[in-house]
């Protein structure tokens, strides 16, 4: 499918379908230059911005570009299928919701309206709220119990609370709200503590939004020509670069740490193709590989220059 040409071509079975792109897709080409221009403007005013604000701005810019890319592709494909196979096009509020009010990257599933979705039950809601409460308690409670002299520990504990509050808690509640509305929006975190391998952790449990995007945009195209090992390495290299931009660049230090961390993850995943432990050893192996070198990812400059000032701004201490 090429949405930049005069016509869109999609092969479905033995049929080749062509259709002129909608106004949404035509206007879409303007978004990326605007995002790049805004990114350049942000870099120019970086000296006047707190490091934490610069970090969140970069993260949101990257997120917005990825969302728009997946949204455009899904909308184009949905329009083609609806016209040629008489399938229902998702309403505008769902399209806007994916773009503006959802953190996942599986646009095709989110915009599909023909498949019925089970409503989430009370236990799911209670579990999500419990994670929100735990994250808030750690961020605005436990952190205050740590002496000010132990700044690095204070920053790490606060970071853990923030991840629980957002990724495990609020984003889970958001997923449940969309599921209640009949939308296919699974949580982006799927019990990573239960992972039995490094591949299982990164491929099926941790931040599935990025996994989906990396799999579709990097892994699948490269796998066809270079094979699984090189495609796997490429995915972790891209992840390392993204984290260098979002973590090391705002902190003005720690460069190379995130790339080293994801290089180690790639090595661990590839080694599991040859040898994979079982039972309790599998859990220990996974924990050691993922959590052991995490200090390279969230290095001291990031904790000191970005996380601690942000925690102070939000009243964590």
């Amino acid at each position: 499918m090429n949405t930049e040409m005069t016509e869109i071509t999609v092969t479905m079975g033995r049929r080749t379908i062509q259709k002129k792109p909608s106004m949404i897709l035509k206007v879409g080409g303007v978004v990326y230059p605007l995002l790049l221009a805004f990114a350049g403007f942000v870099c120019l005013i970086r000296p006047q911005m707190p490091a934490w604000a610069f970090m969140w701005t970069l993260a949101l810019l990257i997120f917005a570009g990825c969302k728009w890319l997946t949204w455009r592709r899904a909308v184009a494909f949905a329009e083609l299928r609806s016209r040629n196979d008489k399938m229902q096009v998702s309403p505008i509020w769902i399209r806007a919701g994916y773009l503006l009010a959802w953190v996942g990257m599986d646009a095709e599933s989110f915009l599909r309206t023909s498949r019925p979705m089970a409503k989430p039950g009370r236990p799911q809601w209670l579990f999500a709220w419990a994670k929100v409460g735990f994250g808030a308690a750690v961020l605005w409670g436990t952190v205050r119990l740590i002496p000010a002299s132990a700044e690095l520990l204070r920053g790490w504990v606060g970071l853990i609370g923030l991840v629980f509050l957002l990724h495990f808690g609020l984003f889970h509640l958001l997923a449940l709200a969309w599921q209640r509305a009949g939308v296919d929006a699974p949580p982006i975190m799927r019990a990573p503590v239960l992972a039995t391998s490094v591949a299982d952790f990164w491929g099926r449990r941790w931040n599935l939004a990025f996994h989906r995007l990396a799999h579709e945009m990097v892994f699948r195209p490269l796998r066809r020509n270079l094979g699984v090992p090189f495609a796997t390495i490429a995915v972790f290299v891209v992840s390392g670069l993204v984290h260098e931009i979002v973590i090391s660049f705002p902190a003005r230090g720690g460069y190379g740490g995130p790339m080293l961390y994801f290089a180690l993850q790639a090595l661990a995943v590839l080694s599991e193709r040859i040898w994979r432990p079982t039972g309790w050893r599998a859990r220990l192996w996974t924990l050691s590989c993922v959590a052991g070198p995490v200090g390279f990812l969230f290095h001291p400059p990031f904790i000191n220059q970005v996380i601690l000032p942000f925690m102070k701004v939000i009243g964590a201490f």
Side-chain angles (χ1 to χ4, degrees):
M1 178 174 57
N2 185 355
T3 59
E4 303 297 334
M5 299 176 64
T6 305
E7 292 185 333
I8 305 173
T9 302
V10 173
T11 301
M12 302 179 66
R14 297 182 177 179
R15 293 180 298 161
T16 298
I17 305 165
Q18 289 187 325
K19 173 182 174 292
K20 291 184 178 181
S22 64
M23 182 57 66
I24 292 176
L25 299 176
K26 292 178 180 178
V27 174
V30 180
V31 172
Y32 290 115
L34 289 177
L35 287 174
L36 289 174
F38 184 65
F41 173 73
V42 168
C43 290
L44 286 176
I45 64 173
R46 177 186 180 186
Q48 286 73 45
M49 296 178 69
W52 62 265
F54 187 60
M55 182 271 291
W56 283 114
T57 303
L58 287 177
L60 288 173
L61 281 171
I62 294 173
F63 177 76
C66 294
K67 288 291 285 188
W68 186 256
L69 174 63
T70 57
W71 184 81
R72 285 186 69 198
R73 289 177 48 149
V75 167
F77 191 60
E79 289 179 351
L80 289 170
R81 290 191 306 177
S82 64
R83 171 166 294 194
N84 295 278
D85 291 344
K86 298 181 179 180
M87 295 179 66
Q88 182 181 0
V89 177
S90 56
I92 188 66
W93 68 272
I94 291 183
R95 299 188 185 193
Y98 172 79
L99 198 60
L100 303 173
W102 176 233
V103 294
M105 294 289 176
D106 189 356
E108 185 177 349
S109 296
F110 190 93
L111 299 177
R112 189 184 301 129
T113 58
S114 57
R115 185 170 63 185
M117 291 296 301
K119 306 295 182 183
R122 181 176 296 179
Q124 293 171 280
W125 287 99
L126 291 176
F127 185 46
W129 277 113
K131 290 183 289 185
V132 170
F134 176 78
V138 170
L139 185 57
W140 284 287
T142 306
V143 167
R144 297 176 183 270
L145 302 178
I146 301 173
S149 58
E151 286 190 342
L152 199 59
L153 177 60
R154 187 184 257 188
W156 267 102
V157 172
L159 180 60
I160 292 172
L162 186 62
V163 170
F164 258 96
L165 177 65
L166 292 178
H167 295 76
F168 287 95
L170 293 177
F171 292 168
H172 191 182
L173 287 174
L174 186 59
L176 296 178
W178 279 114
Q179 291 172 24
R180 185 176 178 83
V183 175
D184 186 1
I188 64 170
M189 296 292 196
R190 293 182 182 174
V193 71
L194 299 180
T196 56
S197 69
V198 180
D200 180 39
F201 180 89
W202 293 112
R204 289 178 287 274
R205 296 186 180 277
W206 184 269
N207 195 357
L208 298 183
F210 180 81
H211 167 74
R212 172 74 182 188
L213 183 69
H215 186 268
E216 293 296 324
M217 303 298 178
V218 181
F219 183 82
R220 287 183 62 184
L222 294 179
R223 181 185 60 183
R224 289 192 293 266
N225 298 322
L226 301 177
V228 172
F230 284 101
T232 300
I233 293 172
V235 167
F236 282 106
V237 167
V238 170
S239 185
L241 289 173
V242 171
H243 284 81
E244 289 283 1
I245 294 172
V246 176
I247 293 176
S248 301
F249 189 35
R252 297 177 182 266
Y255 295 104
M259 185 63 74
L260 175 59
Y261 175 79
F262 284 105
L264 294 173
Q265 301 309 300
L267 182 62
V269 170
L270 292 177
S271 70
E272 290 176 347
R273 295 170 58 86
I274 303 172
W275 171 82
R276 179 179 294 186
T278 58
W280 64 269
R281 294 180 181 84
R283 299 283 175 84
L284 181 60
W285 157 261
T286 303
L287 178 63
S288 301
C289 291
V290 173
V294 75
F296 293 122
L297 176 61
F298 300 117
H299 42 66
F302 177 69
I303 298 296
N304 292 325
Q305 303 300 324
V306 179
I307 295 299
L308 285 170
F310 177 68
M311 289 168 56
K312 186 175 182 179
V313 167
I314 63 177
F317 56 83

